Amino acid sequence: MTTIRQDDFIQSIADAFQFISYYHPLDYIQALGAAYDREESPAAKDAIAQILTNSRMSAEGHRPICQDTGIALVFLKVGMQVRWDATLSVQEMVDEGVRRAYGNAENPLRASVLADPAGARKNTRDNTPAVVHYEIVAGDQVDVICAAKGGGSEAKAKFAMLNPSDDLVEWILKTVPTMGAGWCPPGILGVGIGGTPEKAMLLAKEAIMAPVDIQELKSRGAKNRAEELRLELYEKVNALGIGAQGLGGLTTVLDVKVLDYPTHAANLPVALIPNCAATRHIHFHLDGSGPAELQRPSLEDWPKVTWQADAATATRVDLNSLSKDQVAAWKPGQKLLLNGKMLTGRDAAHKRIADMLAKGEKLPVDFTNRVIYYVGPVDPVGDEVMGPAGPTTATRMDKFTRMMLEQTGLISMIGKAERGPTAIEAIKDNQSAYLMAVGGAAYLVAKAIQSAKVVGFADLGMEAIYEFEVKDMPVTVAVDSQGTSVHITGPKEWQAKIGGIPVKVV
């Protein structure tokens, strides 16, 4: 009989969530480094370079890889011979560990969990409660997986109840392009097959916690149907040409994971859940001897890739004197280095702006000839101007785009991933442009921020309107004033190219 002490368990959970906030799993980052080496798309290669550079910076600085420090997810396998020396429930202990991790003064993590999800949506302020999955198994240890799952990748989860005769691979290949780039590829794709609807989703989520080993599988060959599916889907999903950040390229997924479970004769449940460029999880065991000891990876094992601002390949832009004519002249795929002052705002700020405009109320800030950055940053520590401040998924602001362009004087926007038809039409009608920053490069972006202050809606916390002054912040023109979207043209171009070079997709 093993005794697990309450304090040891809580401390292990707290340590784990701090650890994964700044350390990528080494297998993931090395697989991404290999993808960088073989990538032929300049846009995708640049995006991967930013992600790799950001990863090393986060590991060195012990600051979050991504500003979205995720919803806390814990898988527990509790041995039947385990005894708890605790006054709190397991859920309460997990929540206390999460609370300590997210409130750590040296590396505070962004609180993103909202209670009353269909009503007031009030921030719980400490990222609790965690989502905990329990399983009682044989043995005398507690097996723990902690993961911090970002909202952008969670939003792209898919599920279908197929008929038994339906082609599962065909459904996945039709579904992945509909996910867009908001899940920040390259990442891991988890597939859950069978059971019941909720079981399939759980299988898909659990699958993406496994190590990246697709190259080893390719070398030894498949031993069962699930492994055959992994190999088939890995090749065919990458052949879609979606590429890093959806810009078009050779690598969309670094691995595909498949878990299955027996199901009813009338059903074929299938779930699809991606893990993003900020893949964050860790696996450890508790045996009663004390808190878990988490082994720090060696920075020498990180890929030797460093992204730097390069005025030879990008155009420097002065935001303080930016005009509508300059914005209208930007070309699709053009790299820009932004300098000067920009405003920020995301879902809650846009909703409040819409409400104020409808009532004829004056806005707290003038958006005329300004650029807005869709971001919810992490609070700064020490001498930081701002904590990690990567972009959030831009499509959530699509329904506000025409309003912002036509009623506030805004002339451009910055976010993550593609824009939908509604936003693209508004951008074209107003001769505006949408700029894409790399999701998964939040700490790198933070280093470009020279000053920051709240200028509106302070009560919204990380969703307040800030004014950032930036120096050489890297972005790409993703939608130009003519409505051309690189998230449409890029994947089409690379899908065609990959069709002619299948040996390159490995």
Side-chain angles (χ1 to χ4, degrees), residues 307-322:
W307 181 91
Q308 292 181 326
D310 183 2
T313 59
T315 303
R316 281 199 167 96
V317 173
D318 182 1
L319 296 174
N320 298 333
S321 61
L322 189 63

Side-chain angles (χ1 to χ4, degrees), residues 15-344:
D15 290 346
F17 279 102
Q18 272 288 305
F19 188 96
I20 63 177
S21 76
Y22 45 74
Y23 285 136
H24 264 122
L26 189 56
D27 58 311
Y28 170 82
I29 208 66
Q30 290 181 335
L32 189 60
Y36 174 84
D37 290 339
R38 63 177 176 262
E39 186 56 68
E40 298 180 12
S41 162
K45 201 172 184 76
D46 182 78
I48 296 173
Q50 290 190 45
I51 295 168
L52 289 171
T53 302
N54 181 79
S55 178
R56 175 181 282 277
M57 290 172 61
S58 295
E60 290 173 337
H62 283 196
R63 293 292 275 140
I65 294 165
C66 180
Q67 81 290 339
D68 182 353
T69 50
I71 187 168
L73 175 68
V74 179
F75 285 88
L76 294 175
K77 293 184 178 180
V78 181
M80 295 178 70
Q81 302 305 311
V82 166
R83 174 184 173 275
W84 294 94
D85 180 8
T87 57
L88 300 177
S89 70
V90 173
Q91 177 74 51
E92 289 170 335
M93 287 188 286
V94 169
D95 287 345
E96 178 57 28
V98 169
R99 189 174 293 112
R100 293 182 187 181
Y102 279 73
N104 187 300
E106 295 181 0
N107 180 38
L109 307 180
R110 198 183 80 184
S112 302
V113 171
L114 308 181
D116 191 14
R121 294 180 66 82
K122 185 176 181 180
N123 199 304
T124 64
R125 300 295 182 186
D126 57 10
N127 228 53
T128 66
V131 176
V132 185
H133 300 290
Y134 309 84
E135 187 177 349
I136 306 300
V137 299
D140 60 358
Q141 295 188 0
V142 177
D143 182 270
V144 185
I145 296 175
C146 290
K149 198 67 165 59
S153 61
E154 287 293 80
K156 303 304 180 179
K158 304 293 182 181
F159 173 79
M161 284 296 282
L162 301 182
N163 293 317
S165 60
D166 290 342
D167 188 326
L168 179 150
V169 172
E170 180 183 13
W171 177 79
I172 292 174
L173 294 177
K174 286 182 177 179
T175 301
V176 169
T178 70
M179 291 160 54
W183 61 280
C184 289
I188 317 298
L189 205 58
V191 182
I193 307 168
T196 53
E198 77 281 4
K199 181 65 175 179
M201 293 296 285
L202 187 57
L203 289 170
K205 180 63 69 66
E206 188 173 7
I208 53 179
M209 305 302 159
V212 177
D213 64 353
I214 195 72
Q215 302 304 329
E216 292 88 337
L217 176 58
K218 289 184 68 170
S219 296
R220 69 167 171 81
K223 295 181 179 178
N224 53 49
R225 178 55 181 152
E227 291 184 344
E228 290 174 355
L229 279 171
R230 286 183 61 195
L231 292 173
E232 181 180 4
L233 289 169
Y234 175 76
E235 298 291 347
K236 291 182 176 180
V237 170
N238 279 327
L240 294 172
I242 295 167
Q245 302 292 302
L247 296 171
L250 298 181
T251 302
T252 302
V253 291
L254 299 172
D255 202 343
V256 177
K257 299 296 185 181
V258 176
L259 288 178
D260 60 18
Y261 196 86
T263 191
H264 192 282
N267 301 143
L268 180 57
V270 183
L272 197 60
I273 299 180
N275 222 351
C276 63
T279 288
R280 294 164 294 198
H281 58 81
I282 191 167
H283 188 173
F284 60 88
H285 304 270
L286 296 175
D287 60 8
S289 61
E293 295 184 8
L294 308 179
Q295 185 175 358
R296 294 184 178 184
S298 170
L299 288 175
E300 293 302 311
D301 294 327
W302 254 247
K304 304 300 187 286
V305 176
T306 301
W307 181 91
Q308 292 181 326
D310 183 2
T313 59
T315 303
R316 281 199 167 96
V317 173
D318 182 1
L319 296 174
N320 298 333
S321 61
L322 189 63
S323 69
K324 291 192 69 172
D325 288 343
Q326 287 176 283
V327 172
W330 290 337
K331 303 300 182 185
Q334 184 177 354
K335 295 179 183 178
L336 307 177
L337 295 172
L338 303 182
N339 292 269
K341 295 180 179 180
M342 65 174 62
L343 299 171
T344 77

Side-chain angles (χ1 to χ4, degrees), residues 16 24 30 35 43 97 108 197 204-205 228 249 314 328 330 367 400 405 430 437 447 476-477 489 492 497:
H24 264 122
Q30 290 181 335
K205 180 63 69 66
E228 290 174 355
W330 290 337
F367 287 92
F400 300 110
L405 293 176
N430 289 277
K447 295 300 184 182
T476 299
V477 180
T489 60
K492 283 184 178 179
K497 287 184 177 181

Side-chain angles (χ1 to χ4, degrees), residues 238-241 249-251 493-503 505:
N238 279 327
L240 294 172
L250 298 181
T251 302
E493 175 189 351
W494 280 91
Q495 185 175 19
K497 287 184 177 181
I498 290 170
I501 51 169
V503 294
V505 187

